Amino acid sequence: MSTFDNTTADRPIGLTAPSGIDRAAHHRLDEAWLAAAWSHPTTRVFVVSGGQVLIDDTPEGGTEIVMTPAFEAPVTETHRYFLGTDKDGVSYFALQKDSLPGRMDQSARPAGLREAGLLLGPRDAGLMVHAVALENWQRLHRFCSRCGERTVIAAAGHIRRCQACGAEHYPRTDPAVIMLVTDDQDRALLGRQVHWPEGRFSTLAGFVEPGESIEQSVVREVHEEAGVTVGEVEYVASQPWPFPSSLMLGFMARATSFEIDVDGEEIEEARWFSREELTAAFESGEVMPPYGISIAARLIELWYGKPLPRPGSLNRTN
């Protein structure tokens, strides 16, 4: 087994750092409290639309979500979601709109989570993950799955109720496993999905099926996608992934067979890499380093033993 250096192992996974926000779920059904919080001068509001928010650079060199006091926020009748409060008692709301408001100034710009998640601090990243997940669920679950009638929003955006049959529907989260598989030579199995560009490799992943444990899902997905059997499975960490509604469950897994046979439907190519081979592939440009906020990069780093190079940081030789 390899030994991971502390700086790599302790570095937080994107979108999982403590946000400092108390979701205060006990207030979601308290309409009087919500009304008072909305009208309070310290309350901050931002708009979410199509998975995007407005972000802006700060004088200190950081990046934040563009927020306004409630009295300056765009008008919406129902799509107002309470996200929680911070340690100072400031309340945060997101408004779901069909489009983002006009740019607040020359530097404010729209961004989705894949970009903003790399730039925002823990508070704003946590608020954005919550808001984007709610927006995705709200847009896709407007009708009752029991009787088909239109549902209405309740609990400050966290429930949809059917007034016809009385059913209550809650935000959906789909568990998905993502795993770095290693062999008896401590090589890592990386694959390339059919719709990815040449050279982009990452860990294998897939959804948990009904009646299946997460460990069983790891074994099944690796065999289905790459033809490799897996024995030992070790849980590492999880990551919210609202694209549109997943929770990624990260694992390290040990292969018990080593011949690769890709399915050709999800995975077009898969390869075993030693650390030296992966480093050489990064440096030559044969393999693009995983980039972004996904837990996949962190799983690879735990095996690799150091942070992966980022796009633009390598000198290409071809």
Side-chain angles (χ1 to χ4, degrees), residues 178-199:
I178 184 166
M179 47 275 172
L180 182 71
V181 180
T182 56
D183 68 1
D184 57 353
Q185 302 176 53
D186 205 25
R187 298 179 300 175
L189 178 63
L190 302 179
R192 183 171 66 81
Q193 293 188 20
V194 294
H195 61 274
W196 287 355
E198 288 288 335

Side-chain angles (χ1 to χ4, degrees), residues 105-189:
D105 55 40
Q106 292 301 311
S107 61
R109 60 194 185 278
L113 260 178
R114 286 184 172 86
E115 175 191 352
L118 295 169
L119 303 174
L120 297 173
R123 183 201 70 177
D124 285 17
L127 290 169
M128 185 174 178
V129 169
H130 192 174
V132 168
L134 284 178
E135 184 208 21
N136 284 331
W137 173 68
Q138 293 283 358
R139 289 187 184 277
L140 296 175
H141 294 81
R142 296 178 179 178
F143 296 90
C144 180
S145 59
R146 179 184 294 175
C147 72
E149 292 296 323
R150 182 176 289 275
T151 56
V152 296
I153 295 172
H158 295 77
I159 293 176
R160 292 193 72 100
R161 289 198 178 109
C162 179
Q163 295 178 315
C165 71
E168 289 189 346
H169 304 279
Y170 295 84
R172 170 179 163 180
T173 298
D174 300 318
V177 292
I178 184 166
M179 47 275 172
L180 182 71
V181 180
T182 56
D183 68 1
D184 57 353
Q185 302 176 53
D186 205 25
R187 298 179 300 175
L189 178 63

Side-chain angles (χ1 to χ4, degrees), residues 125-310:
L127 290 169
M128 185 174 178
V129 169
H130 192 174
V132 168
L134 284 178
E135 184 208 21
N136 284 331
W137 173 68
Q138 293 283 358
R139 289 187 184 277
L140 296 175
H141 294 81
R142 296 178 179 178
F143 296 90
C144 180
S145 59
R146 179 184 294 175
C147 72
E149 292 296 323
R150 182 176 289 275
T151 56
V152 296
I153 295 172
H158 295 77
I159 293 176
R160 292 193 72 100
R161 289 198 178 109
C162 179
Q163 295 178 315
C165 71
E168 289 189 346
H169 304 279
Y170 295 84
R172 170 179 163 180
T173 298
D174 300 318
V177 292
I178 184 166
M179 47 275 172
L180 182 71
V181 180
T182 56
D183 68 1
D184 57 353
Q185 302 176 53
D186 205 25
R187 298 179 300 175
L189 178 63
L190 302 179
R192 183 171 66 81
Q193 293 188 20
V194 294
H195 61 274
W196 287 355
E198 288 288 335
R200 175 168 293 171
F201 283 80
S202 188
T203 55
L204 304 181
F207 287 103
V208 179
E209 293 189 347
E212 184 177 54
S213 72
I214 53 178
E215 294 85 359
Q216 290 170 336
S217 182
V218 170
V219 174
R220 176 185 54 77
E221 284 288 347
V222 173
H223 191 263
E224 286 180 355
E225 294 186 348
V228 172
T229 57
V230 165
E232 179 185 358
V233 174
E234 182 180 2
Y235 174 75
V236 177
S238 64
Q239 180 189 43
W241 196 247
F243 299 105
S245 57
S246 298
L247 176 66
M248 306 302 295
L249 306 168
F251 294 86
M252 306 294 280
R254 180 66 75 174
T256 57
S257 74
F258 316 112
E259 183 176 349
I260 295 173
D261 181 19
V262 297
D263 63 6
E265 296 181 1
E266 293 185 62
I267 302 297
E268 184 170 347
E269 180 182 4
R271 295 165 54 185
W272 292 107
F273 291 90
S274 69
R275 293 174 182 79
E276 295 74 20
E277 289 169 339
L278 189 58
T279 297
F282 286 155
E283 293 176 347
S284 69
E286 180 185 0
V287 170
M288 291 186 290
Y291 184 75
I293 57 176
S294 171
I295 191 176
R298 293 291 291 110
L299 291 174
I300 297 173
E301 286 177 344
L302 287 173
W303 162 81
Y304 195 54
K306 58 184 177 181
L308 301 181
R310 296 305 183 198

Side-chain angles (χ1 to χ4, degrees), residues 72-126:
E72 293 181 3
V75 176
T76 180
E77 294 182 0
T78 56
H79 290 78
R80 185 170 76 189
Y81 310 142
F82 172 60
L83 304 179
T85 61
D86 64 19
K87 61 181 180 59
D88 296 318
V90 175
S91 298
Y92 295 88
F93 288 82
L95 302 181
Q96 177 181 323
K97 303 290 287 184
D98 291 335
S99 61
L100 293 174
R103 296 192 176 190
M104 310 296 287
D105 55 40
Q106 292 301 311
S107 61
R109 60 194 185 278
L113 260 178
R114 286 184 172 86
E115 175 191 352
L118 295 169
L119 303 174
L120 297 173
R123 183 201 70 177
D124 285 17

